[in-house]
Amino acid sequence: MTSDIPAPEDGQGRAAGPGGGERAGVSGEAAAGQVDATLRVVLLCVTVVLQLGLSLDPLLTEEYRSPALAAGAFAALLCVPVVCSWWVLRRRPPPPAVVTAGTVVVLGAACCATAAIDPARQFQAPDWSFGLVQWHLLLLLLDRVRTLVVVLTAHLAASVGAFLTLGDPDRFAIGAACTVAFGTASVQAAVIVISRLLRHRSREALAAAEEHDRLALRVLTARHLEQRQRTLFAGRLGATLPLLAGLADGALDPRDEDTRRRCALAATQLRRLFAENDETADPLVHELSACVDVAERRGVDVSFAVSGEPVAVPPRVRRQLTGPVAAALSAARGRARVSVLSTGEDVRIAVLTDAGTGPRPGVVTTAGGPVEVASDHYGDFLRLEVRWSG
């Protein structure tokens, strides 16, 4: 299977996505914030509807000990969703200062609304603020669960305490009050649980999407690598076929020095190509070792030395670095020395062989930077240096 989309590569030739394969886009916290933003819009609508639709009628029809205090509490509570709507409708959380001031205003308005009614009528129709205040607190403290639970508990405890101490309720009134308090607290607890569940599910969905993207990237990378390897092998075998055909039909003499050098070069290049696909800590040294191994199998005495820390070299640059080395080793008659020096982003490969010919000097430009090739002859010895600076 092939892919028309090339996969990006890191310094080791492995595919890498944006951010090291991580999904680009919103993080888990941002996804949870989107859930809170949506819930706040819903809570804003619920709060306004409850205050204007259900709480306004008792304020206008019921009797209060202090109608002005009750009206002031109603107006103060109405200001909270109006102010918060500036951020909520823009899907942003209210600033901490607004949340703090709003919480103080809501609790103060709740105290004023409770003080404006007869203690005996608490948890009844005139006590419209008891359930309404908790929706305001949900709107303000939705993303601060611990604080929200503490404030809701404190408000419920203060309301129940005032009901039991200021009034003289009988058991029927206490039963009715417990029913109202339990029902209201259950609704608020359900909203909190649902919001936490939605946040958790959104994180799970985002993690699943990221994992799906990582797997898709791996599949795409595997297909790209497979296609690349097929192309490289096809190209190398295509260059080797004329040599094999010449040997098969007798056009080339295996005893000829040039023929043996060409065969050695083809074997070295194929061996290096096989090594390119291996997973190693230092791919460049691994591929050079493969070239050295082929030369040693031919009876060449090779000294191989490596110094410095491994440098991340792109695959295309590694091919340009090892190509001249493979050519020099394939031409060696009996002795060779290969030295690798890595200094930061700089890689130098020095080869000394008893070959009479070698690669021509020059500069090869690759996607990873220019590769410089320099060679000198000292009698029957060839000195070759290949250099790359990332």
Side-chain angles (χ1 to χ4, degrees):
M1 300 177 65
T2 62
S3 173
D4 294 330
I5 304 175
E9 297 173 343
D10 61 9
Q12 301 296 332
R14 295 182 294 266
E22 296 180 356
R23 173 184 169 87
V26 295
S27 63
E29 287 301 323
Q34 292 298 320
V35 172
D36 286 344
T38 302
L39 288 175
R40 272 200 174 92
V41 174
V42 175
L43 289 173
L44 177 66
C45 298
V46 170
T47 303
V48 173
V49 169
L50 288 178
Q51 183 162 356
L52 297 180
L54 299 180
S55 301
L56 183 59
D57 182 66
L59 178 67
L60 299 177
T61 57
E62 299 291 337
E63 294 183 359
Y64 295 89
R65 293 193 302 178
S66 176
L69 189 60
F74 185 91
L77 287 175
L78 185 59
C79 289
V80 172
V82 171
V83 173
C84 289
S85 64
W86 171 258
W87 292 276
V88 172
L89 295 179
R90 297 166 66 187
R91 303 185 66 82
R92 296 181 181 177
V98 174
V99 172
T100 302
T103 303
V104 173
V105 170
V106 168
L107 293 178
C111 293
C112 294
T114 302
I117 63 175
D118 187 350
R121 301 293 305 279
Q122 200 173 351
F123 294 107
Q124 298 179 22
D127 192 12
W128 48 266
S129 67
F130 175 72
L132 180 63
V133 163
Q134 299 186 14
W135 288 101
H136 285 75
L137 294 175
L138 278 172
L139 176 63
L140 290 168
L141 302 171
L142 181 64
D143 54 352
R144 298 171 173 84
V145 178
R146 294 183 180 179
T147 304
L148 175 61
V149 172
V150 170
V151 174
L152 288 176
T153 303
H155 174 255
L156 178 61
S159 299
V160 172
F163 174 71
L164 295 176
T165 56
L166 299 180
D168 187 18
D170 54 21
R171 61 180 183 176
F172 297 104
I174 293 176
C178 289
T179 301
V180 173
F182 178 77
T184 304
S186 298
V187 172
Q188 314 307 324
V191 173
I192 295 174
V193 171
I194 291 174
S195 67
R196 296 305 95 185
L197 181 62
L198 289 175
R199 286 172 62 95
H200 180 67
R201 293 301 184 188
S202 66
R203 289 194 180 98
E204 287 185 343
L206 182 60
E210 290 176 346
E211 182 64 22
H212 178 271
D213 287 352
R214 282 193 292 268
L215 292 176
L217 179 60
R218 290 177 183 175
V219 171
L220 181 63
T221 302
R223 291 176 178 176
H224 171 72
L225 292 176
E226 179 186 5
Q227 175 62 21
R228 188 185 67 179
Q229 288 301 114
R230 286 183 177 180
T231 303
L232 291 175
F233 279 120
R236 182 52 53 198
L237 289 175
T240 307
L241 285 178
L243 177 62
L244 297 177
L247 291 172
D249 59 19
L252 297 177
D253 185 2
R255 295 169 296 182
D256 183 69
E257 182 69 23
D258 183 66
T259 301
R260 287 189 292 177
R261 184 188 61 80
R262 290 174 60 188
C263 290
L265 177 59
T268 304
Q269 290 173 336
L270 286 174
R271 181 66 179 85
R272 190 214 62 80
L273 190 58
F274 291 141
E276 181 180 315
N277 204 33
D278 296 339
E279 289 289 340
T280 60
D282 194 338
L284 177 61
V285 173
H286 180 66
E287 294 172 19
L288 289 173
S289 299
C291 298
V292 170
D293 180 66
V294 175
E296 289 178 336
R297 290 177 182 272
R298 292 175 39 240
V300 179
D301 183 14
V302 183
S303 173
F304 186 36
V306 179
S307 60
E309 296 295 327
V311 177
V313 183
R316 294 180 180 85
V317 177
R318 293 204 305 268
R319 297 187 199 110
Q320 298 296 338
L321 287 172
T322 56
V325 178
L329 290 176
S330 65
R333 296 185 179 94
R335 289 183 299 169
R337 185 174 66 190
V338 180
S339 302
V340 181
L341 175 61
S342 302
T343 57
E345 296 297 325
D346 184 75
V347 177
R348 294 185 181 183
I349 305 174
V351 182
L352 181 64
T353 70
D354 56 355
T357 60
R360 293 181 179 179
V363 177
V364 179
T365 303
T366 67
V371 174
E372 300 178 7
V373 180
S375 62
D376 295 307
H377 290 85
Y378 300 94
D380 291 336
F381 286 90
L382 167 69
R383 180 183 177 275
L384 173 72
E385 180 175 293
V386 188
R387 179 178 179 181
W388 173 75
S389 298

